[in-house]
Amino acid sequence: MAIISPFRAWRYAPDRVPVQQVVTQPYDKITPAMQERYYQASPYNLVRIVLGKRLPGDGDAENVYTRAAAAFQNWRQTGVLQRDPEPSIYRYSQTFWHPGSQATAERRGFIALGRIEEYSAGAVFRHEQTLAKPKADRLDLLRANRAHFGQIFMLYSGAGKVDTLLDSAAAPQIASPEIEVTDEYDVVHRVWRISDSSIIASVQKEMRDKKLIIADGHHRYETALTYRSERRAEAETGSGLPVPYDSVMMTFVDMDRPGLVILPTHRLAFGLPAFSVARFQTETGRFFDVEEVDAGIDAARAKAILQEAGHDGTALLAVTAEAAFLLHTPKANGSSVFGNLSLRQQALDVVQLHKCLLEGVLKISEEAIRNQENVSYCREAADALMQVRSGKVQAAFLMNPVRMEQVRDIAFAGEVLPQKSTDFYPKLLSGLTIYALE
């Protein structure tokens, strides 16, 4: 059961600072170069809170978290951030070019507070594993600021009913959104504030029976659960009434609607002392049918081959500096590497890649993959091909994206995909709305 609530968001005051200069990509997508660019854009850029610079003299008294808290307090006190006058939900639209094509798309959703629940409650479902280090960092930031600056990206199945309600509510002001900003990937983000209590009540009613899947934000969601437990333990008695830390800011997107794009995340293998193309080809034949393709294949051709071969099931491209292979039609003797994974999980290309190739053929342990000791990740096929041909890595593994129905079925079955199996595009901007617990 999805329990959502309106809230009085803190937002950047447009007369104090242009929103274009202060919002950011999610913290885990900010590269060092992006961090520096955000710092230069404005003294009020949100990066100073969500991913501040660590300094040589940092200690318990002053550090990246204390500086974030001081900035957040100062910006509220001086009016850089202003709180909306009444509880609202926020219509959120993203218009973008579909990567790799000339087509535009729009993804619609809404920002509201969502009640956080343990996974065992059967209301919120994950689809990826999480790592301890990112959760510890986000927990320290949450403790220091007692606020959420980005939204958890949640999926639900709603047949477009909530979108219809919100489109009607936003119609009178559709030409003049409260926020409109174009990010560094040319994605246009628009936000409309909806405070009509009857519309909000209708949206709450529609959402009440929905199950939610975390698309992006697993670490922050689990951090919020940990923080809730801490705050509950601090309270001597509980009234049973909702409290601010029971909820987190979420963007809800209907998975039945257009505009939901998942991109593949390709794998790069490096640092393997005994790597041999001939041995790799031979060993891979134990798990797949192997066809040699043009060693000079480019990204566009690679994508076309994968799409065509993927119609019949698993399709992977393995590329080295001197050869390229199409791997398809998994063989039965590969079943021994899957352990207790369900047939749903075994059908995923990314699972076939991890278990058969990375672990089975290249002998990279699951722990080494998790720690990125011999495996790194790359969104763009052209970049992956460049890295392998320049000798930076020994092999590039290209694949088709996971399909939405596969994510849905895996999540609702209580199962998970390997780390970085999905790349929902575009990302939700941080700083459009801020939820302060106190």
Side-chain angles (χ1 to χ4, degrees), residues 57-67:
D58 282 353
D60 292 339
E62 181 176 345
N63 53 55
V64 66
Y65 307 112
T66 61
R67 288 191 292 275

Side-chain angles (χ1 to χ4, degrees), residues 89-165:
I89 60 177
Y90 300 82
R91 188 66 159 124
Y92 184 11
S93 163
Q94 296 168 286
T95 305
F96 58 97
W97 292 96
H98 194 301
S101 78
Q102 298 300 310
T104 59
E106 182 184 20
R107 187 174 71 197
R108 299 182 182 182
F110 68 96
I111 304 169
L113 299 186
R115 181 79 62 86
I116 54 176
E117 304 280 0
E118 299 289 345
Y119 296 135
S120 58
V124 175
F125 297 80
R126 60 178 180 165
H127 77 270
E128 284 188 348
Q129 294 280 14
T130 55
L131 303 176
K133 187 175 179 180
K135 287 192 288 188
D137 167 59
R138 292 300 96 181
L139 182 58
D140 284 339
L141 186 68
L142 181 54
R143 287 167 176 160
N145 288 275
R146 301 196 172 194
H148 298 282
F149 301 95
Q151 315 109 51
I152 312 297
F153 184 175
M154 288 292 195
L155 301 170
Y156 68 96
S157 180
K161 293 182 179 179
V162 173
D163 279 342
T164 300
L165 285 169

Side-chain angles (χ1 to χ4, degrees), residues 157-322:
S157 180
K161 293 182 179 179
V162 173
D163 279 342
T164 300
L165 285 169
L166 295 174
D167 286 344
S168 174
Q173 59 191 79
I174 200 70
S176 55
E178 298 257 346
I179 300 171
E180 181 168 345
V181 59
T182 302
D183 70 17
E184 54 263 76
Y185 302 107
D186 292 326
V187 179
V188 180
H189 303 256
R190 298 182 179 92
V191 176
W192 295 265
R193 185 167 67 91
I194 298 172
S195 54
D196 185 318
S197 59
S198 63
I199 294 293
I200 293 173
S202 296
V203 172
Q204 289 175 308
K205 181 179 179 181
E206 284 291 340
M207 293 297 296
R208 191 167 291 275
D209 65 345
K210 301 295 184 285
K211 296 179 179 180
L212 304 176
I213 297 173
I214 303 173
D216 275 333
H218 290 78
H219 290 93
R220 285 176 288 136
Y221 185 84
E222 293 179 17
T223 294
L225 284 172
T226 300
Y227 184 73
R228 184 190 69 175
S229 297
E230 290 182 352
R231 294 294 298 273
R232 284 180 174 178
E234 291 172 0
E236 294 184 3
T237 59
S239 65
L241 298 174
V243 291
Y245 51 77
D246 282 342
S247 297
V248 69
M249 193 165 57
M250 301 176 179
T251 290
F252 301 89
V253 172
D254 189 340
M255 71 178 90
D256 300 331
R257 300 284 286 160
L260 196 58
V261 174
I262 305 177
L263 302 179
T265 301
H266 310 298
R267 271 57 172 166
L268 306 175
F270 60 92
L272 304 173
F275 181 76
S276 157
V277 174
R279 188 183 306 116
F280 172 81
Q281 183 177 7
T282 299
E283 290 293 310
T284 298
R286 296 191 295 116
F287 298 104
F288 302 97
D289 285 351
V290 181
E291 294 181 23
E292 194 159 358
V293 298
D294 178 14
I297 190 170
D298 63 11
R301 181 61 183 148
K303 182 178 179 181
I305 289 174
L306 284 169
Q307 286 182 336
E308 182 177 356
H311 289 312
D312 297 323
T314 294
L316 303 166
L317 273 173
V319 183
T320 70
E322 62 268 20

Side-chain angles (χ1 to χ4, degrees), residues 17-24 38 41 45 180-184 187:
V17 60
V19 68
Q20 188 88 31
Q21 298 177 4
V22 291
V23 293
T24 75
Y38 288 147
N45 189 283
E180 181 168 345
V181 59
T182 302
D183 70 17
E184 54 263 76
V187 179

Side-chain angles (χ1 to χ4, degrees), residues 287-288 313-316 329-356 403 406 410 415-418:
F287 298 104
F288 302 97
T314 294
L316 303 166
T329 316
K331 298 180 178 179
N333 62 352
S335 60
S336 61
V337 303
F338 293 114
N340 294 324
L341 294 180
S342 70
L343 292 178
R344 278 182 299 268
Q345 292 167 300
Q346 293 180 36
L348 298 172
D349 289 10
V350 66
V351 171
Q352 292 277 341
L353 170 57
H354 274 242
K355 292 301 179 182
C356 296
R403 299 190 306 276
Q406 292 176 310
I410 291 289
E415 300 166 349
V416 293
L417 287 73

Side-chain angles (χ1 to χ4, degrees), residues 350-426:
V350 66
V351 171
Q352 292 277 341
L353 170 57
H354 274 242
K355 292 301 179 182
C356 296
L357 299 182
L358 300 183
E359 296 178 36
V361 174
L362 299 181
K363 307 304 180 185
I364 306 173
S365 71
E366 189 174 346
E367 181 179 5
I369 295 172
R370 188 164 52 246
N371 295 333
Q372 298 187 35
E373 293 175 11
N374 298 103
V375 176
S376 60
Y377 303 89
C378 179
R379 174 191 283 179
E380 301 295 337
D383 184 28
L385 294 173
M386 181 276 293
Q387 291 198 52
V388 74
R389 287 167 182 161
S390 68
K392 290 183 178 180
V393 301
Q394 291 160 297
F397 298 98
L398 310 182
M399 58 184 160
N400 290 311
V402 178
R403 299 190 306 276
M404 185 61 239
E405 58 267 27
Q406 292 176 310
V407 176
R408 178 198 62 207
D409 293 346
I410 291 289
F412 285 160
E415 300 166 349
V416 293
L417 287 73
Q419 193 77 7
K420 295 185 181 295
S421 293
T422 57
D423 184 1
F424 286 89
Y425 183 84

